[in-house]
């Protein structure tokens, strides 16, 4: 909700919530940062692409697209494919 009102002063709180035990908190924080166009925190959002919760992963993808950091999606996907191929 903080991201929706454009409250950039809450960015540090949203970044901290990316590490919350609550999937609800992590997904909300990622969405808020995406809405705030917090490009400097794209790396922190990208870490959620490997989250245990599917919703968190999906929100992280959308947030990265919102801030124009889709290149992080491609590089993560490429590394993941190489890792899976190496396991075969």
């Amino acid at each position: 909700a903080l991201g929706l009102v454009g409250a950039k002063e809450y960015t540090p709180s949203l970044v901290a919530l990316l590490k919350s035990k609550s999937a609800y908190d992590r997904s909300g924080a990622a969405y808020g940062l995406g809405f705030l166009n917090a490009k400097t925190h794209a790396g922190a959002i990208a870490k959620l692409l490997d989250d245990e919760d599917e919703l968190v992963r999906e929100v992280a993808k959308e947030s990265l697209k919102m801030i124009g950091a889709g290149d992080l999606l491609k590089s993560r996907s490429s590394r993941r494919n190489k890792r899976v191929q190496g396991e075969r």
Side-chain angles (χ1 to χ4, degrees), residues 27-82:
S27 63
Y31 183 78
L33 289 168
F35 195 85
L36 288 172
N37 200 25
K39 292 179 181 174
T40 57
H41 300 291
I45 297 168
K47 289 179 182 179
L48 295 180
L49 295 172
D50 294 325
D51 196 271
E52 62 192 33
D53 187 272
E54 182 178 357
L55 176 63
V56 173
R57 293 190 305 268
E58 289 302 314
V59 172
K61 285 180 198 175
E62 291 306 312
S63 295
L64 289 170
K65 290 177 187 176
M66 289 169 71
I67 63 176
D71 57 321
L72 290 175
L73 294 172
K74 293 175 189 169
S75 65
R76 286 283 249 222
S77 177
S78 174
R79 283 192 300 240
R80 190 175 301 120
N81 288 340
K82 288 178 185 176

